[in-house]
Amino acid sequence: VIMKKSILVLVLSLFAFSTFAENFDESKKNEMQFKVGYFPYVESVVLALSTINNNQEERKDYMLPSITFEYLRYVTPKIGLGGSFSAGIPYLIKSSDTMIASYFALQGDFRFIYMDEGSVKLYGELGAGGELLLNTKADDFVAPLFSAHISPLGVWVGSEKFFGTVEFTFGTEGSFATLGCGWRF
């Protein structure tokens, strides 16, 4: 109950802040981005533990990248609010009985730009939401969970219309480095 109230207060304060910050250039306030990450930590660990009873001798384990689509609307030149959809197959087991473990996550995102030097920007990002973990062979294992990611440092390089990013991140979108590309409109 306290967590729900805290999230509600945070969201309301961000939206209240955004109503006072609408006095900047109307062009290029929206951003769409496609990201590829590797090793979503919590999802990988939970899904790996759900497969612990599989035959260990014959199997080959694979970890595949996760994909994220993100939309942000900048309420000030330095603050973006939006959401993202992430999906991935962090665990694939090839054996006599192939098993696929996957996840789908929806998160609300907050981005703060630390430095803006035109074609290079440094930023941080937080995201929180919910997800479903699925395992095709563990008795149709389905688990709704809390999802989150944090990117304390992201590097944005490009023009004001098209750009690429590298984020040092931890969470649902991936861990270590996440690569992305996108456009502003």
Side-chain angles (χ1 to χ4, degrees):
V1 175
I2 293 172
M3 180 71 144
K4 288 181 184 178
K5 287 181 183 180
S6 299
I7 291 173
L8 180 63
V9 168
L10 176 66
V11 169
L12 289 176
S13 64
L14 288 173
F15 284 119
F17 177 74
S18 70
T19 60
F20 296 109
E22 289 292 326
N23 297 329
F24 73 101
D25 184 16
E26 289 294 318
S27 66
K28 311 251 184 318
K29 288 176 67 172
N30 299 298
E31 181 177 299
M32 293 291 292
Q33 189 172 3
F34 171 78
K35 299 179 186 179
V36 176
Y38 188 72
F39 192 64
Y41 183 75
V42 172
E43 293 81 359
S44 297
V45 170
V46 169
L47 291 170
L49 290 174
S50 73
T51 65
I52 210 152
N53 292 331
N54 287 20
N55 187 356
Q56 300 291 328
E57 294 173 11
E58 299 176 12
R59 71 186 228 183
K60 290 186 180 180
D61 298 358
Y62 300 96
M63 296 186 80
L64 302 175
S66 59
I67 297 172
T68 300
F69 295 98
E70 180 178 60
Y71 168 78
L72 292 173
R73 174 147 177 100
Y74 284 87
V75 295
T76 73
K78 293 191 179 251
I79 295 177
L81 300 174
S84 61
F85 172 76
S86 298
I89 302 174
Y91 220 72
L92 171 69
I93 298 173
K94 293 289 278 180
S95 66
S96 59
D97 195 19
T98 299
M99 191 271 317
I100 299 172
S102 59
Y103 74 95
F104 302 94
L106 253 144
Q107 300 181 66
D109 292 333
F110 170 78
R111 180 181 289 172
F112 179 75
I113 298 175
Y114 304 128
M115 181 191 83
D116 186 351
E117 294 296 325
S119 63
V120 177
K121 297 174 180 25
L122 298 179
Y123 63 90
E125 187 172 291
L126 293 170
E131 71 183 9
L132 284 177
L133 291 174
L134 309 165
N135 185 331
T136 60
K137 293 296 179 190
D139 297 326
D140 294 324
F141 172 81
V142 176
L145 293 173
F146 175 76
S147 67
H149 76 276
I150 182 169
S151 300
L153 179 62
V155 179
W156 188 100
V157 178
S159 68
E160 280 299 314
K161 186 162 180 128
F162 298 104
F163 60 90
T165 62
V166 175
E167 296 178 6
F168 302 99
T169 187
F170 180 77
T172 300
E173 291 182 355
S175 295
F176 312 114
T178 302
L179 302 175
C181 62
W183 69 95
R184 292 180 115 181
F185 53 97

